[in-house]
Amino acid sequence: DQCEGGETCVACLLFRSRLQLGEALPAELVRRRALVGEIFEDALPHEASEFLVSLLEAMRRCEVLVGRSVVWPGLQISQDSVMATHVDRLFAFVEEVRCQCSVCGQTHVRYERQTQLRLPVRREQEAWDRSLGAAYLEYCGPQQTMEPCRRCGVDAQAHRIQRRLATLPEV
């Protein structure tokens, strides 16, 4: 089966790199890593999680470009609908964010597509107190942020937000 993404399809690069396992030459995905993101063009070290998220986003963009996507109901970025792809089906999840303006009290809920959950790590905690559950509960706890308020009409107004995972990824 021929991919419609052509030579810039990062999913195809990943597949060809898998076929190169055990060879002495660098994998094709390593040689052409700038297709994953311009910041990876250099030979400097990068965070593995940053590369993985960028790889998933690049694969997702290619899926949308060649038409292997549908509208993801209930999710949107500004005025644009979010498209769901096979990459999303496997790796994405939905995060519910509840917001309340600290000035006027208006509340709203939004649902955001995510591929990475960054939990807080407290250095001062004892080793016995560093559980995944405790980190998730801290992540879900109320936080303060600056966001635009529809009622106040201010671009940056203090809001209290609370997050939770509405769905889980397949992987």
Side-chain angles (χ1 to χ4, degrees):
D1 225 52
Q2 185 66 22
C3 175
E4 303 93 16
E7 287 295 312
T8 61
C9 176
V10 290
C12 292
L13 283 176
L14 185 62
F15 176 74
R16 288 193 296 271
S17 295
R18 183 176 98 26
L19 295 177
Q20 291 177 303
L21 285 175
E23 292 182 12
L25 296 173
E28 192 167 347
L29 183 61
V30 173
R31 289 194 321 264
R32 301 187 64 197
R33 62 188 172 271
L35 290 174
V36 172
E38 288 181 17
I39 63 169
F40 303 111
E41 195 169 28
D42 56 29
L44 299 173
H46 295 277
E47 289 288 328
S49 62
E50 184 181 359
F51 184 79
L52 177 61
V53 169
S54 296
L55 176 65
L56 292 175
E57 290 303 315
M59 289 169 46
R60 186 179 179 285
R61 279 191 307 273
C62 189
E63 294 253 302
V64 170
L65 185 68
V66 297
R68 292 189 298 254
S69 60
V70 295
V71 172
W72 194 335
L75 297 182
Q76 70 179 62
I77 302 172
S78 62
Q79 301 300 323
D80 300 327
S81 295
V82 174
M83 302 303 286
T85 68
H86 293 293
V87 173
D88 293 315
R89 187 174 57 82
L90 291 172
F91 299 102
F93 58 92
V94 177
E95 181 180 62
E96 178 186 87
V97 182
R98 295 183 173 269
C99 301
Q100 181 180 31
C101 179
S102 299
V103 175
C104 70
Q106 180 179 8
T107 61
H108 69 277
V109 178
R110 66 178 183 260
Y111 297 92
E112 299 176 348
R113 176 195 159 274
Q114 302 288 343
T115 55
Q116 182 180 35
L117 181 64
R118 291 187 164 267
L119 298 177
V121 176
R122 300 262 185 222
R123 303 263 186 248
E124 67 273 1
Q125 285 179 318
E126 297 293 328
W128 57 269
D129 195 27
R130 292 185 195 154
S131 71
L132 184 60
Y136 178 68
L137 287 175
E138 184 177 341
Y139 173 79
C140 291
Q143 300 168 8
Q144 294 293 325
T145 185
M146 299 299 281
E147 295 191 9
C149 181
R150 296 175 191 150
R151 183 182 287 170
C152 295
V154 179
D155 288 341
Q157 190 72 276
H159 279 72
R160 191 175 108 173
I161 65 165
Q162 207 164 358
R163 302 173 184 275
R164 77 172 187 93
L165 296 184
T167 67
L168 297 174
E170 292 292 321
V171 175

Coordinates of all heavy atoms in Angstrom, one line a residue, residues 47-107:
E47 N 14.9 16.4 25.0 CA 14.1 15.5 25.9 C 13.4 14.5 25.0 O 12.8 14.8 24.0 CB 13.1 16.4 26.6 CG 13.6 17.2 27.7 CD 14.1 16.5 28.9 OE1 13.5 15.4 29.2 OE2 15.1 16.9 29.5
A48 N 13.4 13.2 25.4 CA 12.8 12.1 24.7 C 11.3 12.4 24.7 O 10.6 12.1 23.6 CB 13.1 10.8 25.3
S49 N 10.7 12.8 25.8 CA 9.2 13.1 25.8 C 8.8 14.2 24.8 O 7.8 14.1 24.2 CB 8.7 13.4 27.2 OG 9.3 14.6 27.7
E50 N 9.7 15.2 24.7 CA 9.4 16.3 23.8 C 9.4 15.8 22.3 O 8.6 16.1 21.5 CB 10.5 17.4 24.0 CG 10.3 18.6 23.1 CD 11.4 19.6 23.4 OE1 12.3 19.4 24.2 OE2 11.3 20.7 22.7
F51 N 10.4 14.9 22.0 CA 10.5 14.3 20.7 C 9.3 13.4 20.4 O 8.7 13.5 19.3 CB 11.8 13.5 20.5 CG 12.0 13.0 19.1 CD1 12.4 13.8 18.1 CD2 11.7 11.7 18.8 CE1 12.6 13.3 16.8 CE2 11.8 11.2 17.5 CZ 12.3 12.0 16.5
L52 N 8.9 12.6 21.4 CA 7.7 11.7 21.2 C 6.4 12.5 20.9 O 5.7 12.2 20.0 CB 7.5 10.8 22.4 CG 6.3 9.9 22.3 CD1 6.4 8.9 21.2 CD2 6.1 9.2 23.6
V53 N 6.2 13.6 21.7 CA 5.0 14.4 21.5 C 5.0 15.0 20.1 O 4.0 15.1 19.4 CB 4.8 15.4 22.7 CG1 3.8 16.5 22.3 CG2 4.5 14.7 24.0
S54 N 6.2 15.6 19.7 CA 6.4 16.2 18.4 C 6.2 15.1 17.3 O 5.6 15.4 16.3 CB 7.7 16.8 18.3 OG 7.8 17.9 19.2
L55 N 6.7 13.9 17.5 CA 6.5 12.9 16.5 C 5.0 12.5 16.4 O 4.5 12.4 15.3 CB 7.3 11.6 17.0 CG 7.1 10.4 16.1 CD1 7.6 10.6 14.7 CD2 7.8 9.2 16.7
L56 N 4.3 12.4 17.5 CA 2.8 12.1 17.4 C 2.1 13.2 16.7 O 1.2 13.0 15.9 CB 2.3 11.9 18.8 CG 2.7 10.7 19.6 CD1 2.2 10.6 21.0 CD2 2.3 9.4 18.8
E57 N 2.5 14.5 17.0 CA 1.8 15.6 16.3 C 2.1 15.7 14.8 O 1.2 16.0 14.0 CB 2.2 17.0 17.0 CG 1.6 17.1 18.4 CD 0.1 17.1 18.4 OE1 -0.5 17.7 17.6 OE2 -0.4 16.4 19.3
A58 N 3.4 15.3 14.5 CA 3.7 15.3 13.0 C 3.0 14.2 12.3 O 2.5 14.4 11.2 CB 5.2 15.1 12.9
M59 N 2.8 13.0 13.0 CA 2.1 11.9 12.4 C 0.6 12.3 12.2 O 0.0 12.0 11.2 CB 2.3 10.7 13.2 CG 3.6 10.1 13.1 SD 4.0 8.8 14.3 CE 2.6 7.7 14.3
R60 N 0.1 13.0 13.2 CA -1.3 13.4 13.2 C -1.5 14.4 12.1 O -2.5 14.4 11.4 CB -1.6 14.0 14.6 CG -3.0 14.4 14.8 CD -3.2 15.0 16.2 NE -4.6 15.3 16.3 CZ -5.1 16.4 15.8 NH1 -4.4 17.2 15.1 NH2 -6.4 16.7 15.9
R61 N -0.6 15.4 11.9 CA -0.8 16.4 10.9 C -0.8 15.7 9.5 O -1.6 16.1 8.6 CB 0.4 17.4 10.9 CG 0.2 18.5 11.9 CD 1.2 19.6 11.7 NE 2.6 19.2 11.7 CZ 3.4 19.0 12.8 NH1 2.9 19.3 14.0 NH2 4.6 18.6 12.7
C62 N 0.0 14.7 9.3 CA 0.1 14.0 8.0 C -1.3 13.3 7.8 O -1.8 13.3 6.7 CB 1.2 13.0 8.0 SG 1.5 12.3 6.4
E63 N -1.8 12.7 8.8 CA -3.1 12.0 8.7 C -4.2 13.0 8.3 O -5.0 12.6 7.5 CB -3.5 11.3 10.1 CG -2.5 10.2 10.5 CD -3.2 8.9 10.3 OE1 -4.2 8.6 10.9 OE2 -2.6 8.1 9.6
V64 N -4.2 14.1 8.9 CA -5.2 15.1 8.6 C -5.0 15.6 7.1 O -6.0 15.7 6.4 CB -5.2 16.3 9.6 CG1 -6.0 17.5 9.1 CG2 -5.6 15.9 11.0
L65 N -3.8 15.8 6.8 CA -3.4 16.3 5.4 C -3.9 15.4 4.3 O -4.4 15.8 3.3 CB -1.9 16.5 5.3 CG -1.4 17.1 4.0 CD1 -1.9 18.6 3.9 CD2 0.1 17.1 3.9
V66 N -3.8 14.1 4.5 CA -4.2 13.1 3.5 C -5.7 12.6 3.7 O -6.1 11.8 3.0 CB -3.2 11.9 3.5 CG1 -1.9 12.3 3.1 CG2 -3.2 11.1 4.7
G67 N -6.4 13.2 4.6 CA -7.8 13.0 4.7 C -8.2 11.8 5.6 O -9.3 11.3 5.5
R68 N -7.3 11.3 6.4 CA -7.6 10.2 7.3 C -8.0 10.7 8.7 O -7.4 10.4 9.7 CB -6.5 9.2 7.4 CG -6.2 8.4 6.1 CD -5.2 7.3 6.3 NE -3.9 7.8 6.7 CZ -2.8 7.9 5.9 NH1 -2.9 7.5 4.7 NH2 -1.7 8.3 6.4
S69 N -9.1 11.5 8.7 CA -9.5 12.1 10.0 C -11.0 12.5 9.9 O -11.5 12.6 8.8 CB -8.7 13.4 10.3 OG -8.8 14.3 9.2
V70 N -11.6 12.7 11.0 CA -13.0 13.1 11.1 C -13.0 14.2 12.2 O -12.1 14.3 13.1 CB -13.9 11.9 11.5 CG1 -14.0 10.9 10.4 CG2 -13.6 11.3 12.8
V71 N -14.1 14.9 12.3 CA -14.3 15.9 13.3 C -14.5 15.2 14.7 O -15.2 14.3 14.8 CB -15.5 16.8 13.0 CG1 -15.8 17.8 14.2 CG2 -15.3 17.7 11.8
W72 N -13.8 15.7 15.7 CA -13.9 15.2 17.0 C -15.0 16.0 17.8 O -14.7 17.1 18.2 CB -12.6 15.3 17.8 CG -12.4 14.5 19.0 CD1 -13.4 14.1 19.8 CD2 -11.2 14.0 19.6 NE1 -12.9 13.4 20.9 CE2 -11.6 13.3 20.8 CE3 -9.9 14.1 19.2 CZ2 -10.6 12.7 21.6 CZ3 -8.9 13.5 20.1 CH2 -9.3 12.8 21.2
P73 N -16.2 15.5 17.9 CA -17.3 16.2 18.5 C -16.9 16.7 19.9 O -16.4 16.0 20.7 CB -18.5 15.3 18.5 CG -18.0 14.1 17.8 CD -16.6 14.1 17.7
G74 N -17.3 17.9 20.2 CA -17.2 18.5 21.6 C -15.8 19.2 21.8 O -15.7 19.8 22.8
L75 N -14.9 19.0 20.9 CA -13.6 19.6 21.1 C -13.4 20.7 20.1 O -13.7 20.5 18.9 CB -12.4 18.6 21.0 CG -12.4 17.5 22.0 CD1 -11.2 16.6 21.7 CD2 -12.3 18.0 23.4
Q76 N -12.8 21.8 20.4 CA -12.4 22.8 19.5 C -11.3 23.7 20.0 O -11.1 23.8 21.2 CB -13.6 23.7 19.1 CG -14.1 24.6 20.1 CD -15.3 25.4 19.5 OE1 -16.3 24.8 19.2 NE2 -15.1 26.7 19.5
I77 N -10.5 24.2 19.1 CA -9.4 25.2 19.4 C -9.9 26.5 18.8 O -10.0 26.6 17.6 CB -8.1 24.7 18.8 CG1 -7.7 23.3 19.3 CG2 -7.0 25.7 19.1 CD1 -6.5 22.7 18.7
S78 N -10.1 27.5 19.6 CA -10.7 28.7 19.2 C -11.9 28.5 18.4 O -12.9 27.9 18.9 CB -9.7 29.6 18.5 OG -9.2 29.1 17.4
Q79 N -12.0 28.8 17.1 CA -13.1 28.6 16.3 C -13.0 27.4 15.4 O -14.0 27.0 14.8 CB -13.3 29.8 15.4 CG -13.5 31.1 16.1 CD -14.7 31.1 17.0 OE1 -15.8 30.5 16.7 NE2 -14.6 31.7 18.2
D80 N -11.9 26.7 15.4 CA -11.7 25.5 14.6 C -12.0 24.2 15.3 O -11.7 24.1 16.5 CB -10.2 25.4 14.1 CG -9.8 26.7 13.3 OD1 -10.6 27.2 12.6 OD2 -8.6 27.1 13.4
S81 N -12.6 23.3 14.6 CA -12.9 22.0 15.2 C -11.6 21.2 15.2 O -10.7 21.4 14.4 CB -13.9 21.3 14.3 OG -15.2 21.9 14.3
V82 N -11.6 20.3 16.2 CA -10.4 19.4 16.3 C -10.7 18.1 15.5 O -11.8 17.6 15.6 CB -10.2 19.0 17.8 CG1 -9.1 18.0 17.9 CG2 -9.8 20.3 18.6
M83 N -9.8 17.7 14.7 CA -9.9 16.5 13.9 C -9.4 15.3 14.7 O -8.3 15.5 15.3 CB -9.2 16.7 12.5 CG -9.7 17.9 11.7 SD -11.4 17.8 11.3 CE -11.5 16.6 10.1
A84 N -10.0 14.2 14.6 CA -9.6 13.0 15.2 C -8.9 12.1 14.2 O -9.5 11.9 13.1 CB -10.7 12.3 15.9
T85 N -7.8 11.5 14.5 CA -7.0 10.6 13.6 C -6.8 9.3 14.3 O -7.1 9.1 15.4 CB -5.7 11.3 13.2 OG1 -4.9 11.3 14.4 CG2 -5.9 12.7 12.6
H86 N -6.1 8.4 13.5 CA -5.7 7.1 14.1 C -4.7 7.3 15.2 O -4.7 6.6 16.2 CB -5.2 6.2 13.1 CG -6.2 5.7 12.1 ND1 -7.3 4.9 12.4 CD2 -6.4 6.0 10.8 CE1 -8.0 4.7 11.4 NE2 -7.5 5.4 10.3
V87 N -3.9 8.3 15.1 CA -2.9 8.7 16.2 C -3.7 9.1 17.4 O -3.3 8.6 18.5 CB -2.0 9.8 15.7 CG1 -1.1 10.3 16.8 CG2 -1.1 9.3 14.5
D88 N -4.7 9.9 17.3 CA -5.5 10.3 18.4 C -6.2 9.1 19.1 O -6.3 9.0 20.3 CB -6.6 11.3 18.0 CG -6.0 12.6 17.6 OD1 -5.1 13.1 18.3 OD2 -6.4 13.2 16.6
R89 N -6.7 8.2 18.2 CA -7.4 7.0 18.7 C -6.5 6.2 19.7 O -6.9 5.6 20.7 CB -7.9 6.1 17.6 CG -8.7 5.0 17.9 CD -9.2 4.3 16.7 NE -8.2 3.8 15.8 CZ -7.5 2.6 16.0 NH1 -7.8 1.9 17.0 NH2 -6.6 2.3 15.1
L90 N -5.2 6.2 19.4 CA -4.3 5.4 20.2 C -3.7 6.2 21.3 O -3.5 5.6 22.4 CB -3.2 4.8 19.3 CG -3.5 3.8 18.3 CD1 -2.4 3.5 17.4 CD2 -4.0 2.5 19.0
F91 N -3.3 7.4 21.1 CA -2.4 8.1 22.1 C -3.1 9.3 22.7 O -2.6 9.8 23.7 CB -1.1 8.6 21.4 CG -0.3 7.5 20.9 CD1 -0.3 7.2 19.5 CD2 0.5 6.7 21.7 CE1 0.5 6.1 19.0 CE2 1.2 5.7 21.2 CZ 1.2 5.4 19.9
A92 N -4.2 9.9 22.2 CA -4.7 11.1 22.8 C -5.8 10.8 23.8 O -6.3 9.7 23.9 CB -5.4 11.9 21.7
F93 N -6.0 11.8 24.7 CA -7.0 11.7 25.7 C -7.6 13.1 25.8 O -7.1 14.1 25.3 CB -6.5 11.2 27.0 CG -5.4 12.0 27.6 CD1 -5.6 13.1 28.5 CD2 -4.0 11.8 27.3 CE1 -4.6 13.8 29.0 CE2 -3.0 12.5 27.8 CZ -3.3 13.6 28.7
V94 N -8.8 13.1 26.5 CA -9.5 14.4 26.7 C -9.4 14.8 28.1 O -9.6 14.0 29.1 CB -11.0 14.2 26.3 CG1 -11.7 15.5 26.6 CG2 -11.1 13.8 24.8
E95 N -9.0 16.1 28.3 CA -8.9 16.7 29.6 C -10.0 17.7 29.8 O -10.2 18.5 29.0 CB -7.5 17.3 29.8 CG -7.3 18.0 31.1 CD -5.9 18.6 31.1 OE1 -5.7 19.5 30.4 OE2 -5.1 18.2 32.0
E96 N -10.7 17.6 30.9 CA -11.8 18.5 31.2 C -11.1 19.6 32.1 O -10.5 19.3 33.1 CB -12.9 17.8 32.0 CG -14.0 18.8 32.4 CD -15.0 18.0 33.3 OE1 -14.8 18.0 34.6 OE2 -16.0 17.5 32.8
V97 N -11.4 20.9 31.7 CA -10.9 22.0 32.4 C -12.1 22.9 32.8 O -12.8 23.4 32.0 CB -9.9 22.9 31.6 CG1 -9.3 24.0 32.4 CG2 -8.8 22.0 31.0
R98 N -12.3 23.0 34.1 CA -13.3 23.9 34.7 C -12.7 25.2 35.1 O -11.7 25.2 35.9 CB -14.1 23.2 35.8 CG -14.8 22.0 35.4 CD -15.6 21.3 36.5 NE -16.4 20.2 36.0 CZ -17.6 20.4 35.6 NH1 -18.2 21.5 35.6 NH2 -18.3 19.3 35.1
C99 N -13.3 26.3 34.7 CA -12.7 27.6 35.0 C -13.8 28.5 35.7 O -14.9 28.5 35.4 CB -12.3 28.4 33.7 SG -11.1 27.5 32.8
Q100 N -13.3 29.3 36.6 CA -14.1 30.3 37.3 C -13.4 31.6 37.4 O -12.3 31.7 37.9 CB -14.6 29.9 38.6 CG -15.5 30.9 39.3 CD -15.9 30.4 40.7 OE1 -15.2 29.7 41.4 NE2 -17.1 30.8 41.1
C101 N -14.0 32.7 36.9 CA -13.3 34.0 36.9 C -13.3 34.5 38.4 O -14.3 34.4 39.1 CB -14.1 35.0 36.1 SG -13.4 36.7 36.1
S102 N -12.2 34.9 38.8 CA -12.0 35.4 40.2 C -12.7 36.7 40.5 O -12.9 37.1 41.6 CB -10.5 35.5 40.6 OG -9.9 34.2 40.5
V103 N -13.0 37.5 39.4 CA -13.6 38.8 39.6 C -15.1 38.7 39.5 O -15.9 39.1 40.4 CB -13.1 39.8 38.5 CG1 -13.8 41.1 38.6 CG2 -11.6 39.9 38.7
C104 N -15.7 38.2 38.3 CA -17.1 38.2 38.1 C -17.8 36.9 38.5 O -19.0 36.8 38.6 CB -17.4 38.6 36.6 SG -17.0 37.3 35.5
G105 N -17.0 35.8 38.6 CA -17.6 34.5 39.1 C -18.1 33.7 37.9 O -18.6 32.6 38.2
Q106 N -18.0 34.1 36.7 CA -18.5 33.3 35.6 C -17.7 32.0 35.5 O -16.5 32.0 35.6 CB -18.4 34.1 34.2 CG -19.0 33.2 33.1 CD -18.9 33.9 31.8 OE1 -18.4 35.0 31.6 NE2 -19.5 33.3 30.8
T107 N -18.4 30.9 35.2 CA -17.8 29.6 35.1 C -18.0 29.1 33.6 O -19.0 29.4 33.0 CB -18.4 28.6 36.1 OG1 -19.7 28.5 35.8 CG2 -18.1 29.1 37.5

